[in-house]
Amino acid sequence: MEKILKVEELKKYYPVKKGVFGRAAEFIKAVDGVSFSLLRGQTLGLVGESGCGKSTLARTILRLIDSDSGKIIFKGRDITALSHREIKSTRKDMQIIFQDPFNSLDPRFTVFGIVSEGLRNFSQKKSKKEIYQKVAKALEDVGLPRELLSRYPHEFSGGQRQRISIARALVLEPELLVLDEPVSSLDVSIQAQVINLLVDLQKKKNLSYIFIAHDLGIVRHICDQVCVMKDGKIVESGKTEAVFQSPGHPYTRTLLDSAPALPL
Ligand SMILES: Nc1ncnc2c1ncn2[C@@H]1O[C@H](COP(=O)(O)OP(=O)(O)OP(=O)(O)O)[C@@H](O)[C@H]1O
Ligand SMILES: [Mg+2]
């Protein structure tokens, strides 16, 4: 199977203290030599306590922030050092969904405005009708009727807003979705619906997912592989069932012991 993504020895340090001459004296090693690969159509789970570097890793992979060293190879192409102009064509192939659908949707725009934004940025040549069709289809894909296109974000529940965020990503026909705690802010009853939607979309569109979560029950349910992160490093990785059944690293055992069982 094709490796859609390969990350090699990726590092991102944040300066924390300024020493003399304004130079950084100390660093937070948010991502500290991370390597893994993801096969097309599969889901890789990223777990670890708050502050271990999961979101920084995600943003670095998407080139939303620049890495200090290491390599990001996406569809066989080294994208680590591409300029922001060069990365533009790759950018639509990798999309991110954030945890909080309340802050990630611009309240001034209608659903149509939000979902069509990427299309307008990436494909200026498309006619209005084409854009409308694509947006309506993306909305349908996430289980929302097109009649809602003229509504505003505040008119929706958390689960519906997260569906709109997913539609906004899908409209660009991405191949890799990074899901940064996509259901953590939702009611438990809604979480399962959104997770099931993501699983269905993956099957239908052969999407590859990086799935960041605190909830190990969900990770076990949907991830093919899992990476356990601690202090910017991956301390354990492998097939999900293997890691869950016989964790090799003491930190993984601690995480598993402290996880509540999840009814899914
Ligand atoms: N822009 C920044 N400047 C300085 N330090 C940062 C910045 N962003 C993150 N950090 C630090 O890097 C470390 C990793 O943060 P990150 O947000 O990646 O963790 P996380 O695993 O996503 O946590 P959570 O589970 O709470 O979302 C933390 O110590 C954080 O304080
Ligand atoms: Mg985070």
Side-chain angles (χ1 to χ4, degrees):
M1 243 194 295
E2 180 203 349
K3 272 183 194 156
I4 188 162
L5 178 73
K6 193 156 183 262
V7 173
E8 291 174 8
E9 284 298 315
L10 203 63
K11 287 190 184 165
K12 176 69 192 176
Y13 292 1
Y14 290 112
V16 275
K17 248 202 225 156
K18 292 270 196 253
V20 278
F21 311 122
R23 286 221 187 126
E26 270 177 42
F27 296 90
I28 291 177
K29 299 178 176 180
V31 176
D32 195 16
V34 165
S35 305
F36 67 82
S37 37
L38 170 62
L39 297 175
R40 187 182 285 279
Q42 293 212 340
T43 300
L44 179 128
L46 201 54
V47 301
E49 68 201 357
S50 185
C52 72
K54 304 178 296 294
S55 297
T56 305
L57 174 59
R59 277 160 211 205
T60 311
I61 290 169
L62 290 167
R63 292 285 321 269
L64 298 173
I65 47 183
D66 286 328
S67 55
D68 295 323
S69 64
K71 267 192 190 163
I72 306 153
I73 300 172
F74 180 62
K75 293 200 287 175
R77 182 178 188 213
D78 186 347
I79 62 159
T80 329
L82 294 184
S83 70
H84 284 272
R85 200 165 52 85
E86 288 169 320
I87 194 110
K88 208 178 161 194
S89 61
T90 304
R91 186 141 279 157
K92 73 180 233 328
D93 297 337
M94 329 161 93
Q95 293 290 313
I96 187 163
I97 308 283
F98 296 105
Q99 172 175 357
D100 182 358
F102 288 84
N103 287 323
S104 60
L105 302 180
D106 192 325
R108 298 168 303 165
F109 291 110
T110 61
V111 174
F112 178 81
I114 289 167
V115 177
S116 65
E117 190 189 355
L119 276 182
R120 284 181 278 125
N121 287 341
F122 281 105
S123 44
Q124 278 114 353
K125 287 184 215 92
K126 287 212 162 52
S127 70
K128 276 199 174 133
K129 191 173 166 206
E130 265 176 296
I131 289 181
Y132 177 81
Q133 294 297 355
K134 279 191 181 281
V135 170
K137 172 73 172 55
L139 214 61
E140 208 172 89
D141 280 344
V142 300
L144 295 174
R146 62 176 66 188
E147 286 71 41
L148 301 179
L149 282 171
S150 57
R151 303 270 192 89
Y152 288 86
H154 72 264
E155 299 177 61
F156 295 94
S157 68
Q160 287 171 322
R161 285 185 206 211
Q162 205 54 313
R163 285 175 194 264
I164 296 167
S165 307
I166 297 168
R168 172 176 60 183
L170 286 180
V171 80
L172 295 167
E173 298 168 29
E175 294 166 56
L176 171 67
L177 277 190
V178 176
L179 306 152
D180 192 349
E181 312 223 22
V183 297
S184 308
S185 69
L186 305 178
D187 285 353
V188 174
S189 59
I190 305 297
Q191 288 189 0
Q193 291 175 16
V194 174
I195 291 294
N196 289 337
L197 169 69
L198 289 167
V199 169
D200 287 348
L201 288 169
Q202 178 170 48
K203 278 198 208 118
K204 242 192 254 165
K205 298 175 187 287
N206 199 27
L207 297 167
S208 311
Y209 289 162
I210 294 179
F211 186 83
I212 299 175
H214 275 110
D215 193 318
L216 295 176
I218 298 180
V219 169
R220 188 168 195 172
H221 185 67
I222 71 163
C223 296
D224 301 287
Q225 291 180 74
V226 62
C227 292
V228 181
M229 221 174 150
K230 184 177 186 337
D231 301 333
K233 293 186 161 68
I234 290 178
V235 294
E236 176 159 13
S237 63
K239 290 216 164 91
T240 307
E241 262 324 293
V243 171
F244 273 78
Q245 277 177 13
S246 49
H249 194 281
Y251 179 67
T252 311
R253 267 174 253 145
T254 316
L255 269 188
L256 289 176
D257 288 345
S258 58
L262 186 100
L264 250 184

